[in-house]
Structures are given as C-alpha cells and as structure tokens.
Amino acid sequence: MDSKQRSNYVTSIADNHLILGQRLGELCGHGPNLETDIALTNIALDLFGQTRSYYQYAAQLDDAFASEDAVAFLRKEHEYHNVLLVEQPNTHFGFVIGRQFLFDAYHLLLLEQLQYSADATLAAIAQKAIKEVRYHQRFSSDWLKRLGDGTEKSRKKMQEAIDALWRYTDELFEMTPIDQLAVDAGIGVDLHALRPMYYQKISEVLEEATLVLPETNYFQKGGKQGRHTEHMGYLLADLQYMQRTYPNMDW
Amino acid sequence: MSEKELINLEQIFEERIERDEKIEPKDWMPEKYRQTHIRQISQHAHSEVVGMLPEGNWITRAPSLRRKAALLAKVQDEAGHGLYLYSACETLGISREELYQQLHTGKAKYSSIFNYPTITWADIGAIGWLVDGAAIINQVALCTTSFGPYARAMVRICKEESFHQRQGYEIMLTLCNGTEAQKAMAQDALNRWWWPSLMMFGPKDEDSPHTAQSMKWKLKRKTNDELRQQFVDQTVPQAAILGISIPDPHLKWNEASGHYNFGEIDWEEFWQVVKGHGPCNKERMEARVGAWEEGAWVREAAMAHANKQTNKKVAKAS
C-alpha cells in the first residue's frame, strides 16, 4: 500500500465523522432541551476532533492536500467516501438518535480493531477516540430505549426512523479495494468480520427498546464509491461555502 | 407576620447587603427582591439560549475545521451558561417550564442584540469581540452581586466569556491581516454591530427607572452610561489595532475628561427592537418555540420512560 492509498484509507474513515458532525452541527440550538443540545454538540465536537486528526495525517501522506482543510473542504462530492447513513437528514429527533445509534455501534467495533493497527498514527487516533465513542454509544442507546420504550407516539416515531435508516446499515461493512489493501498491509480493519457482532448488538438494544428489528434485506450502497444520496450536495454546499466563495485565504 | 416584624426583617436584610454578605435562596428576602432577581436572571438565561441562534447559524458554514470546532464549543458554552442561570433562577421558586413559557409568550425579554442577523463570517468575529466584550463589562460587576447563586454563576460565566472575546478578536485580527475582501468583511461587520453593541448597556441613566433600586441591591454596580463609556474607551484602541474604523463621526478623544466622546445612539431603533420590531425578533422566537414544540414528544417520552423504570424498581423491591 503506497502512501497515497494509505491517505485514501484514512480519509475514507474520517469522511464519516466529518459528515455526521456536520449534520449534528445543524442541530445546535434547536434540540428538544438544553441537556440534549449540549450532549449532541459534544458528540459533534468529538467527531470533528477525530476528523482533524485523521485529515492531518492524510494530508501528510498525500502531497495533493495542502492541509486538513484542503481535505475537508476542497474535494468534489464524488471524492467523499462516507457511507450514506451519515449524510441522512435530521428529519426528527428519532432520526437523529437512530442514525447516531446505527453509526456508533459500527464506530466502536471499528475502533476496537483499529487500535491494533500496524500504523502507529492510526492506532493512536483510535485509542483516543475509543473513549469518546463509548460515550456516544451510551448516549444514543439510552435515548433509543427512552424513545422506544417511552410513549406510544415516541415508539412509533423511533420505529419509523429505524425502519427508514435500516437500508443504509449494510454498507458499513462493505469492503472497497482500498479497505482490502489496508487489511492486507496490516493497518486496516476487516469490516466483514464486524458485521455479525454489529447486528447482534443492534438487535439486543432494539429489543430492550421494545422496537422491532426491520426485516428488509434490500440495502442501499454507493457512498463508499462516492455515489451519494441527493442530500449530500446540499450538505456540501453549506460545508464548502466559504472556501469556495473565498478561495486561497487564511481564516 | 406583623408589620413591625416585617420591617425588622427588611432592615436586617438591607444591612446584610450593606455588609456585602451573600443572600442565599433559603434566606428571607423581600418579595420585590425575589421578583426582580427572577426577572433579571431569567432574562440573562434566555439571552444565552437565544444567543445560540445567530452564532449557530454559522456552524455548518465555518471556513475551517479549527473555526468550526471553536464555534461549536462556544455555542455549547452558551447552552451551559443558560443551564446554570436557569438553575440559579429556579432556586427563587420558579420552574424551568414557567420560565420558558414566559420567553415563548414574550412576557420575558432577552438581550436585543440577538435580534440582529449574522450575515457574514466576520459577524462571528464581531460578536465575540464586541457583544461578548460588552457582556463581560456588564457581568464582571455582577460577580459581586448580593444574590449568592447568581454571583457564583457569574464568576464561572465571566471566565468563559473572556475566552470567547479573545477568540472573536482573533477572528477579526485574522480577517484584518488577510485579503482586501476579508478586511472589507471585517469593516462591514463592525459597521453593523457597533451601535447595537452600545445599546446593550440599556437606556440612558435618566431613562432607567430601576437603576437606584438595583444599585442598592448590588444588582448593578455602575450605571448604564458609566458601563457604556467603559466599553467605548476599551474598544476604540482595539479597533485601531485591527485597522478598521468605528462608524461614528463624533467619536473623539477628550483630553479633559480622559474618555472618548461619542455620538448619540438611535434610541428609536433601540426601543423598536425592544418592542419586538428588530430584524430577527420573529425568527428567533419562531426558532425557540419551534424547538420546544417539536421536542415535546421527546420530553414526554423521557418522562414516561423514567416512570416505567421507577415502577420496575419498586416492583422488584416489593
């Protein structure tokens, strides 16, 4: 695996955090109460912190990127390799929690392996992030249970969100050629191996939340190849607005 | 309680304040003191929470990852300030729901400054520099106010606010050392935020009927006009370092007084914004009321879930 490929691997992990952080950032000041507002902002902050560590490393590995900001702001839509799940909109609080929960369960499993990466920088980033993501998972699981096993209305809304987001879960475990190269080089994570543990964890929490495990077996993919949902263009229009309107300036 | 006993209590109360003792929630206090504090502390809490909106507006569009994280952290601090202040207010015997109700119905006010729009990135710098700068001047005086929970909340808030102010000034400095387009953005922001910032200190002393009582209770240590002058004196040299000009043709150093003279505030605009006719009063209230109403099912679910958990524990124990 050459250093450009390694940089691609690193950004493909971090793109998920950037895009999910961006979605959470939209909510700041609009949460159902101050406590959840603060907690979701905290999660966004953790995700952006992780994004910066990964992107700084990616920029070191690939001369095409002048800085972390070049990685974050100056790519075309098809060059972002995040999964479709994280770009899904904040339809209502049930979707926010559902998206977070479905991502956190994956994220924690990923980091638990990535901390043993032969790449010392990746291992260090993962070791730091793992503590944060444990908290994220606790937060999203707790809320999933509150909303699932709360009122009739909340159960319906939470189930609606899980049903709608379910079709984006399988993509989390898709292995791209870069993922495979990273596994072969001993620095990456074998995502196929995480899949059974993931669905096991998800079904346990859903059961506790008195929610039904969706039965859909048809899944949406494409994010990891840079083919995104219609939501992504709008998200990037906001994200890249300043860098595109005022190119080559320091902020 | 007889009238004589009441007079006695009031006298003891006033003497305690005179000696700079803190009044704590369980202590006896005159009803007017309680009401004034509920009004002021809740107004302050509401300002923190409504203040999240104009800045939150730029989180998704911040120009770099570092700025994005810093802005998120700042807006989160404001939510935290809102929390301490609501808690301080609750010690006076009012619930958070009632306080929100007062905000949402327009009964309670919040700082008018947040009814101005944030239309460029430089506004985020200008808010940190000017609005947080003005807030600190108002708030430092409150660190020694007579009501204990408010004074303690203020100590913590002031520390964070001064960090925010430095951060805002640093955004302005970066813009002013940048390209022509960036410097123009900074100047435009100063043009729009200067006068509303001066308005943050409230009406002129002669039009501020509560000042005398508030000074007595140490809810105010200096008058509106004194604080405003302090802000002008402190900010003019900062603008000079930035190399941008303050939009006031009457601004002039006065050797004799040792202060800057400055022009007249547009009081008509001040009162219009207070009365709800500012550029964004409607949007701010819609956003707050919207978040509250859309969050109702979430709060109800959390409550229902907590009750179920308690019932399960009780059932297990019995």
Side-chain angles (χ1 to χ4, degrees):
Chain A
M1 188 175 218
D2 64 28
S3 70
K4 199 170 177 75
Q5 288 167 332
R6 194 177 286 228
S7 171
N8 278 341
Y9 181 66
V10 174
T11 50
S12 74
I13 294 175
D15 285 351
N16 288 325
H17 309 155
L18 173 72
I19 303 301
L20 185 54
Q22 179 76 1
R23 277 290 184 227
L24 294 173
E26 293 170 12
L27 290 166
C28 191
H30 303 278
N33 61 26
L34 274 177
E35 289 80 353
T36 48
D37 225 311
I38 291 173
L40 287 170
T41 308
N42 237 348
I43 294 175
L45 274 170
D46 288 343
L47 290 170
F48 285 128
Q50 293 163 17
T51 302
R52 293 185 67 191
S53 305
Y54 286 118
Y55 283 176
Q56 283 162 11
Y57 184 42
Q60 271 174 34
L61 290 167
D62 185 347
D63 295 340
F65 296 122
S67 65
E68 60 179 48
D69 288 330
V71 189
F73 297 100
L74 297 178
R75 283 179 290 159
K76 305 279 190 300
E77 178 173 326
H78 68 268
E79 293 167 321
Y80 288 85
H81 293 134
N82 56 283
V83 292
L84 302 179
L85 174 68
V86 294
E87 68 200 46
Q88 297 311 303
N90 301 320
T91 309
H92 60 59
F93 192 71
F95 277 78
V96 174
I97 293 302
R99 183 184 61 206
Q100 194 65 41
F101 166 70
L102 293 172
F103 183 73
D104 291 341
Y106 156 81
H107 194 185
L108 189 58
L109 290 170
L110 178 85
L111 293 175
E112 280 168 356
Q113 300 304 314
L114 197 63
Q115 65 177 330
Y116 303 115
S117 169
D119 180 312
T121 309
L122 275 181
I125 297 173
Q127 278 160 17
K128 180 166 180 287
I130 213 162
K131 293 178 205 128
E132 297 167 347
V133 175
R134 273 202 196 103
Y135 163 77
H136 302 177
Q137 192 183 49
R138 199 167 69 223
F139 173 84
S140 62
S141 306
D142 284 353
W143 268 104
L144 192 91
K145 291 175 206 163
R146 280 188 200 111
L147 298 178
D149 191 18
T151 62
E152 265 318 300
K153 185 176 184 178
S154 71
R155 174 183 290 128
K156 211 172 143 210
K157 283 177 106 82
M158 196 60 246
Q159 186 71 54
E160 175 205 353
I162 291 291
D163 289 348
L165 295 169
W166 192 254
R167 61 193 166 136
Y168 300 114
T169 53
D170 193 58
E171 189 191 12
L172 293 162
F173 308 101
E174 190 192 357
M175 290 287 285
T176 63
I178 287 286
D179 289 328
Q180 193 55 54
L181 277 175
V183 170
D184 296 342
I187 65 163
V189 177
D190 179 1
L191 300 173
H192 286 160
L194 306 182
R195 190 191 268 131
M197 290 182 276
Y198 176 81
Y199 285 108
Q200 177 64 32
K201 171 79 186 168
I202 296 285
S203 59
E204 280 168 18
V205 182
L206 285 177
E207 193 185 333
E208 219 183 313
T210 70
L211 293 167
V212 182
L213 194 74
E215 282 180 6
T216 317
N217 283 317
Y218 191 79
F219 294 99
Q220 298 296 325
K221 292 178 187 189
K224 294 187 81 167
Q225 283 76 35
R227 288 191 312 275
H228 293 280
T229 57
E230 289 179 344
H231 305 297
M232 185 70 170
Y234 296 98
L235 184 148
L236 291 181
D238 271 0
L239 179 75
Q240 299 186 340
Y241 166 66
M242 288 296 290
Q243 290 276 345
R244 297 292 188 198
T245 313
Y246 302 94
N248 304 318
M249 298 182 198
D250 291 325
W251 300 97
Chain B
M1 197 181 297
S2 73
E3 202 172 320
K4 196 175 163 199
E5 280 170 327
L6 198 63
I7 291 169
N8 209 3
L9 278 172
E10 282 209 42
Q11 196 180 349
I12 295 169
F13 176 84
E14 301 292 352
E15 283 166 7
R16 288 185 63 196
I17 292 186
E18 197 54 40
R19 289 195 301 270
D20 268 334
E21 280 179 35
K22 291 283 175 263
I23 305 302
E24 296 301 334
K26 286 187 175 147
D27 296 345
W28 184 89
M29 60 184 81
E31 193 49 29
K32 196 171 169 219
Y33 180 93
R34 182 188 302 277
Q35 291 308 331
T36 302
H37 278 76
I38 289 177
R39 197 184 65 230
Q40 176 158 338
I41 300 171
S42 69
Q43 188 169 321
H44 193 162
H46 298 324
S47 300
E48 296 283 356
V49 173
V50 177
M52 293 168 73
L53 298 169
E55 290 179 282
N57 191 26
W58 277 88
I59 288 170
T60 58
R61 292 177 293 166
S64 70
L65 288 177
R66 181 171 79 93
R67 294 295 187 199
K68 192 190 281 286
L71 180 57
L72 256 175
K74 182 187 176 197
V75 179
Q76 188 191 34
D77 282 347
E78 281 154 13
H81 298 170
L83 266 187
Y84 325 139
L85 289 165
Y86 281 126
S87 306
C89 204
E90 283 172 293
T91 66
L92 291 162
I94 186 162
S95 71
R96 206 173 341 153
E97 279 65 29
E98 284 173 87
L99 293 168
Y100 281 147
Q101 196 69 27
Q102 292 180 351
L103 173 68
H104 297 161
T105 56
K107 188 182 168 218
K109 299 280 178 225
Y110 57 89
S111 179
S112 279
I113 194 79
F114 301 118
N115 291 315
Y116 288 86
T118 46
I119 53 185
T120 73
W121 170 251
D123 291 7
I124 299 306
I127 289 182
W129 171 38
L130 300 172
V131 175
D132 292 331
I136 292 167
I137 289 182
N138 271 327
Q139 291 169 4
V140 161
L142 290 170
C143 292
T144 53
T145 190
S146 60
F147 185 53
Y150 194 31
R152 289 188 289 272
M154 275 346 295
V155 171
R156 187 162 169 188
I157 289 173
C158 278
K159 279 186 198 150
E160 293 182 351
E161 291 292 1
S162 61
F163 177 70
H164 296 163
Q165 197 209 4
R166 281 202 299 279
Q167 216 169 46
Y169 191 71
E170 200 255 323
I171 291 177
M172 294 302 277
L173 204 55
T174 307
L175 293 174
C176 291
N177 289 329
T179 63
E180 278 309 307
Q182 286 172 303
K183 200 166 172 185
M185 197 189 279
Q187 179 68 60
D188 167 65
L190 174 57
N191 292 348
R192 284 180 292 106
W193 290 94
W194 174 254
W195 291 105
S197 300
L198 292 192
M199 294 178 196
M200 285 177 70
F201 298 94
K204 278 192 277 199
D205 290 348
E206 62 258 40
D207 298 324
S208 179
H210 301 299
T211 296
Q213 179 66 76
S214 294
M215 298 278 265
K216 199 168 154 204
W217 285 339
K218 301 185 177 169
L219 198 45
K220 248 183 193 176
R221 293 281 177 149
K222 288 181 184 170
T223 70
N224 294 354
D225 287 334
E226 285 168 345
L227 293 170
R228 192 167 9 245
Q229 184 68 55
Q230 188 184 332
F231 176 74
V232 172
D233 291 345
Q234 156 188 318
T235 310
V236 172
Q238 293 170 348
I241 294 171
L242 293 173
I244 48 181
S245 33
I246 287 175
D248 179 357
H250 301 289
L251 187 76
K252 199 168 173 254
W253 176 250
N254 182 330
E255 197 65 58
S257 69
H259 294 290
Y260 283 93
N261 294 344
F262 55 95
E264 186 69 13
I265 287 172
D266 180 351
W267 293 108
E268 171 64 19
E269 176 181 325
F270 173 86
W271 289 112
Q272 284 306 321
V273 183
V274 169
K275 286 175 190 155
H277 310 303
C280 298
N281 296 59
K282 193 168 174 296
E283 287 80 356
R284 300 295 181 243
M285 263 316 94
E286 279 170 3
R288 280 320 311 162
V289 173
W292 184 249
E293 286 175 355
E294 278 164 35
W297 69 273
V298 176
R299 296 189 302 274
E300 282 158 17
M303 194 65 88
H305 181 78
N307 288 339
K308 283 183 191 177
Q309 297 303 105
T310 314
N311 291 343
K312 271 185 207 164
K313 270 185 205 153
V314 172
K316 222 177 185 178
S318 60

